[in-house]
Amino acid sequence: MESLISLVNRLQRACTALGDHGEESALPTLWDSLPAIAVVGGQSSGKSSVLESIVGKDFLPRGSGIVTRRPLVLQLHRIDEGREYAEFLHLPRKKFTDFALVRKEIQDETDRETGRTKQISSVPIHLSIYSPNVVNLTLIDLPGLTKVAVEGQPDSIVADIENMVRSFIEKPNCIILAISPANQDLATSDAIKIAREVDPKGERTFGVLTKIDLMDKGTDAVDILEGKSYRLQYPWVGVVNRSQADINKNVDMIAARRREREYFATSPDYKHLAQRMGSEYLGKMLSKHLESVIKSRIPGLQSLVGKTIAELEAELSRLGKPVAADAGGKLYMIMEICRGFDQIYKEHLDGVRPGGERIYNVFDNQLPAALKRLQFDKQLSMENVRKLITEADGYQPHLIAPEQGYRRLIESSLVSIRGPAEAAVDAVHGILKELVHKAIRETAELRQYPTLRSEVGNASFDSLERMREESRKATLKLVDMECSYLTVDFFRKLPQDVEKGGNPTHSIFDRYNDIYLRRIGSNVLAYVNMVSASLRNSIPKSIVYCQVREAKRSLLDHFFTEIGKKELKELSNLLNEDPAVMERRAALAKRLELYRNAQSEIDSVAWSK
C-alpha cells in the first residue's frame, strides 16, 4: 500500500516540473485529479506546529504576518534506517541534512518566485523528507487565512489568499485538514468556515484542535473532540504543540511528541480519548485514509489518463509537427506539405474528393447549351445568305456554284464558335481555381503556416493562368482550322444544280431565286452543324489536355524550382507560424509527456483490490 502514496508523490512532482499544478488552464490538469491533503488554517492557528509535529523536525519558516506565501507540497517518505534528509524538487540531487537550511531554502525559493515582497504565488514548492520517524504521507501547506493586510501588502491580499486556498480545497479529490485553535471560539474559525463552504457535509474534512493546553481554566474541548458539537464525518483530533518557550529553546521534536502523549494520557478531561489524540496519531490516521482514497481513485485515474493522452495526441496531430531548424529540414518539410496539397488536389480532379465532376458538367451541359444559343439558322436567314452570296459574286455571277459565297457563309458561322470555346476554357479555369482553394483548406499543414499557404495558392494560380492561356490558344486553333479548310467530300455529295435558276432580266442584286438561296442556306447549315458537333467533342479534349491534365501533372513544378533556390532565411519565412499555435503545441507536448509518464507510473504500481 505504501507504493500508492509514492505513486501520487511522483505524479505530483512531475506535474510541478511540467508546470501543471492546478492553475487555471484550458488544458486538462492531472494535478486536480490526484488525491491530496491540504492543510488550512488561520494565522497563529498552530498550523506550522502541527506539520512540524507530524514530521518530527523544526523546518518551517516562522515569524509575524504571512509567512507561508506559496503552497508547500510536503512529501514524507518513511525509511527503515539511515540519516534523515530532505530534498527540493528545484534542487535535484542536493540533500539537506541540516533542517535549518531547509527553512532558509523555503524562504529563499519563495522570494525567487515572488520577489522580496509580501506577495503570494500559487506555484508550489516541493519538499521531500526521508526519515524513519515519519509515515508515508503527502500534505499541502497553504498560506494562512487572514483578515487584515499588513504593511507592504495590497488590500486584496486577504481575498487573494482565500481564493488560492479555495482553489485547492474545492476540488473533490482534496482532503481538507482544518486547523483551529481550541482557545478560540470555533464559530469564528477561518478554517472551519471555508471548509464548510466547499464541503458542507464534512465528507472530506478532518478537524484538528490545537492549543488545547492553553484553554482557560474550567473550559475544555471534550464536546468537540467527542463529536457532540461541530460534527464532522471523521472524529476531531486534538494536538498539543510546543510552546513558544520550547521553540525558543529548540526543544527536540521527539521529546515534544512524548510530552504530548503524556499530556493526553494523564489529563482527567482527555485521557479517555488519548488513543486517538496527538500528532503521531494524526499522521498515521491521515496516511491510512490517503492510501484508501488513492486506491479508490486508481481506476478513474487510469481512465482519465488514457482518454487525455488520446485527446492531446489528436490535437497535436491537428496542429502539425514543429519546424525543422536547418535549411535541408525546412526544404524537405515544405516539399512534403506541398506534395500533400498536390495529392488532395488530384483527388478532387479524379473523383476521390468532390468538385472535379463540375468540369464534366461544363462539357456535357454548358458548352452544348452555348453552341445551341448561337442559332446558326438565324445567321443563315434568306436575307443574310442573299447578301453574302451576291457580295461574293462581285460584278460577275458564278457560272455554276457560288463557292466563294459558300465559304463566306461557313466562315461567318463557324467564327462565332470561338465565344463558347473561350467560355468553356474560362469555366474550367474557374473550377480549377476553386479546387485549389478547397485543397488548401483541406491540407492541415498549410493552415499551420499562413505564408506558405499564400505562396502555394499564388503559385497554383499562376500555373493555372499559364495553362488557361495555352488552352485558349489550342482550343481557338481548332475553331480556326475548321474555318480555314472545308471538308470537300461533304459538298461533293450534295445534289448539283444544272442552272442557278436566275432571271437574266433581274438586277445584279437579285440574281438568285428564293428556292436556290434556301438550298444554299440549308447546305451551309448542315455543314456548320456537322463541324459544331465535331468541335463539341474536340474542344473538351483540348481543354483537358492543356488544363486539367497539366494541373494534375505540373501544378507546382515552377514553385518547386523556385523553392530549391531559396536560402535558409527565406525558407524560415515560409514556415512562420502563428505564435499562439507554437505556444499551444509546446504546452500540449509538455502535457502529453506528463500524461505518458503518469500512465507508465500508474501501470507499474501493483496494488491489491
Side-chain angles (χ1 to χ4, degrees):
M1 290 298 291
E2 291 177 359
S3 61
L4 293 175
I5 293 179
S6 297
L7 166 67
V8 172
N9 288 349
R10 293 194 298 272
L11 294 182
Q12 285 177 331
R13 288 197 294 271
C15 286
T16 299
L18 291 172
D20 177 344
H21 38 69
E23 78 284 9
E24 291 184 6
S25 171
L27 298 169
T29 305
L30 178 59
W31 176 287
D32 294 341
S33 303
L34 296 174
I37 300 175
V39 185
V40 182
Q43 287 187 34
S44 303
S45 63
K47 182 164 63 73
S48 296
S49 295
V50 171
L51 289 173
E52 289 181 331
S53 294
I54 292 174
V55 175
K57 285 291 178 183
D58 193 353
F59 68 98
L60 291 173
R62 294 180 180 275
S64 59
I66 300 172
V67 179
T68 303
R69 292 184 285 118
R70 289 176 61 182
L72 175 67
V73 180
L74 178 61
Q75 299 179 338
L76 306 181
H77 305 266
R78 181 178 179 83
I79 56 178
D80 294 333
E81 56 185 17
R83 190 176 183 183
E84 297 170 303
Y85 66 94
E87 288 181 341
F88 287 95
L89 180 64
H90 64 273
L91 294 174
R93 295 180 297 278
K94 182 175 181 179
K95 293 184 178 181
F96 290 77
T97 54
D98 184 344
F99 282 79
L101 295 179
V102 172
R103 180 188 306 110
K104 183 177 184 303
E105 182 57 34
I106 293 173
Q107 292 171 325
D108 291 345
E109 177 62 12
T110 298
D111 290 341
R112 292 185 197 111
E113 178 67 25
T114 63
R116 292 187 177 276
T117 66
K118 297 185 182 296
Q119 297 289 336
I120 62 172
S121 169
S122 63
V123 180
I125 299 173
H126 267 259
L127 173 62
S128 294
I129 295 178
Y130 299 81
S131 169
N133 301 314
V134 299
V135 292
N136 291 294
L137 185 61
T138 299
L139 300 165
I140 302 175
D141 183 23
L142 297 172
L145 296 162
T146 184
K147 292 181 172 64
V148 181
V150 299
E151 184 178 353
Q153 291 176 335
D155 293 337
S156 64
I157 193 73
V158 176
D160 291 343
I161 292 176
E162 182 175 331
N163 290 337
M164 182 197 295
V165 171
R166 192 183 304 276
S167 70
F168 276 85
I169 67 174
E170 67 186 0
K171 296 179 175 66
N173 290 305
C174 181
I175 301 163
I176 304 168
L177 190 63
I179 311 293
S180 301
N183 60 349
Q184 295 179 13
D185 187 356
L186 267 187
T188 64
S189 167
D190 295 320
I192 292 299
K193 176 177 178 292
I194 196 169
R196 284 196 165 175
E197 288 177 8
V198 300
D199 180 32
K201 295 182 180 179
E203 296 172 343
R204 297 186 287 115
T205 303
F206 286 84
V208 177
L209 274 184
T210 62
K211 304 182 181 182
I212 289 179
D213 56 325
L214 302 180
M215 296 182 71
D216 293 337
K217 287 186 178 181
T219 62
D220 60 57
V222 173
D223 284 351
I224 297 172
L225 295 176
E226 288 182 345
K228 295 177 181 178
S229 60
Y230 299 100
R231 181 182 296 276
L232 298 172
Q233 182 168 317
Y234 303 101
W236 284 78
V237 177
V239 297
V240 174
N241 298 327
R242 291 181 299 166
S243 65
Q244 190 60 48
D246 291 339
I247 294 172
N248 294 338
K249 294 177 183 178
N250 292 323
V251 172
D252 179 72
M253 292 294 300
I254 302 303
R257 282 184 182 177
R258 184 172 59 252
R259 287 168 56 179
E260 181 186 43
R261 288 196 299 270
E262 291 172 356
Y263 173 84
F264 284 110
T266 58
S267 168
D269 295 323
Y270 306 114
K271 63 181 178 180
H272 67 293
L273 301 171
Q275 294 301 315
R276 58 179 183 86
M277 294 292 118
S279 55
E280 280 188 282
Y281 170 80
L282 177 63
K284 291 176 183 177
M285 182 265 294
L286 289 175
S287 177
K288 185 176 180 180
H289 182 74
L290 182 59
E291 287 171 352
S292 66
V293 172
I294 294 171
K295 182 177 180 180
S296 68
R297 297 289 193 277
I298 288 290
L301 278 173
Q302 287 175 314
S303 175
L304 168 72
V305 168
K307 178 183 177 183
T308 306
I309 286 175
E311 292 173 351
L312 292 171
E313 288 175 338
E315 185 167 358
L316 274 173
S317 177
R318 288 193 298 271
L319 291 178
K321 299 176 182 178
V323 180
D326 60 298
K330 291 180 187 295
L331 180 59
Y332 176 80
M333 193 169 186
I334 290 171
M335 297 290 282
E336 284 297 295
I337 292 171
C338 290
R339 288 191 188 101
F341 157 77
D342 202 39
Q343 180 59 36
I344 291 172
Y345 189 70
K346 289 175 182 175
E347 289 175 1
H348 278 293
L349 292 175
D350 290 336
V352 178
R353 297 170 185 256
E357 73 282 355
R358 293 170 57 203
I359 294 174
Y360 176 74
N361 184 60
V362 171
F363 302 148
D364 196 49
N365 294 305
Q366 186 173 324
L367 177 61
L371 291 172
K372 188 175 182 180
R373 284 195 297 272
L374 293 177
Q375 296 181 321
F376 295 122
D377 54 338
K378 291 187 178 179
Q379 294 182 40
L380 296 171
S381 64
M382 181 72 71
E383 181 182 352
N384 199 35
V385 170
R386 185 188 303 278
K387 178 176 179 295
L388 289 178
I389 289 294
T390 54
E391 285 177 355
D393 278 357
Y395 75 92
Q396 169 81 45
H398 281 83
L399 298 176
I400 299 176
E403 179 181 332
Q404 196 62 29
Y406 265 104
R407 290 186 182 279
R408 289 191 182 183
L409 284 169
I410 291 170
E411 288 172 6
S412 67
S413 297
L414 291 182
V415 76
S416 63
I417 297 178
R418 291 172 63 97
E422 283 192 273
V425 169
D426 291 340
V428 171
H429 176 75
I431 293 170
L432 293 176
K433 282 187 68 173
E434 288 181 27
L435 293 181
V436 166
H437 287 297
K438 284 179 70 82
I440 285 176
R441 289 195 299 270
E442 293 169 11
T443 305
E445 294 84 354
L446 287 178
R447 293 198 297 270
Q448 188 176 340
Y449 308 108
T451 305
L452 179 60
R453 180 173 67 237
S454 176
E455 289 294 318
V456 168
N458 292 337
S460 298
F461 298 147
D462 288 345
S463 292
L464 291 178
E465 195 61 48
R466 288 192 295 271
M467 294 168 192
R468 173 165 69 170
E469 193 55 37
E470 288 299 316
S471 181
R472 178 183 284 110
K473 291 177 183 177
T475 304
L476 293 181
K477 278 181 182 179
L478 290 176
V479 180
D480 294 344
M481 283 188 290
E482 294 291 352
C483 294
S484 64
Y485 184 81
L486 307 183
T487 306
V488 179
D489 285 348
F490 179 86
F491 294 97
R492 285 176 179 166
K493 294 176 182 178
L494 293 175
Q496 298 297 316
D497 294 307
V498 177
E499 56 180 354
K500 295 181 289 183
N503 188 339
T505 63
H506 290 174
S507 72
I508 192 170
F509 300 106
D510 191 23
R511 294 177 182 155
Y512 304 99
N513 62 37
D514 290 350
I515 295 174
Y516 191 74
L517 290 175
R518 276 195 292 271
R519 182 175 297 171
I520 290 173
S522 177
N523 291 341
V524 171
L525 180 60
Y527 183 81
V528 170
N529 284 335
M530 179 194 74
V531 172
S532 178
S534 175
L535 287 174
R536 176 180 170 178
N537 294 322
S538 56
I539 287 173
K541 292 178 181 178
S542 173
I543 291 173
V544 168
Y545 183 83
C546 296
Q547 289 175 267
V548 181
R549 176 177 170 273
E550 283 302 297
K552 287 175 59 178
R553 190 177 66 86
S554 60
L555 183 66
L556 293 179
D557 280 6
H558 183 72
F559 178 71
F560 288 152
T561 301
E562 294 301 312
I563 282 290
K565 301 175 185 177
K566 293 186 181 295
E567 301 293 333
L568 175 61
K569 184 177 180 180
E570 294 174 298
L571 295 173
S572 298
N573 289 338
L574 286 176
L575 293 175
N576 274 343
E577 274 191 287
D578 182 346
V581 174
M582 296 173 66
E583 292 175 10
R584 179 69 175 172
R585 184 191 296 109
L588 288 170
K590 287 174 62 178
R591 197 58 53 94
L592 182 59
E593 179 185 355
L594 166 63
Y595 273 78
R596 283 175 175 164
N597 290 339
Q599 187 176 55
S600 176
E601 292 278 8
I602 294 171
D603 291 345
S604 68
V605 172
W607 51 281
S608 57
K609 295 184 179 180

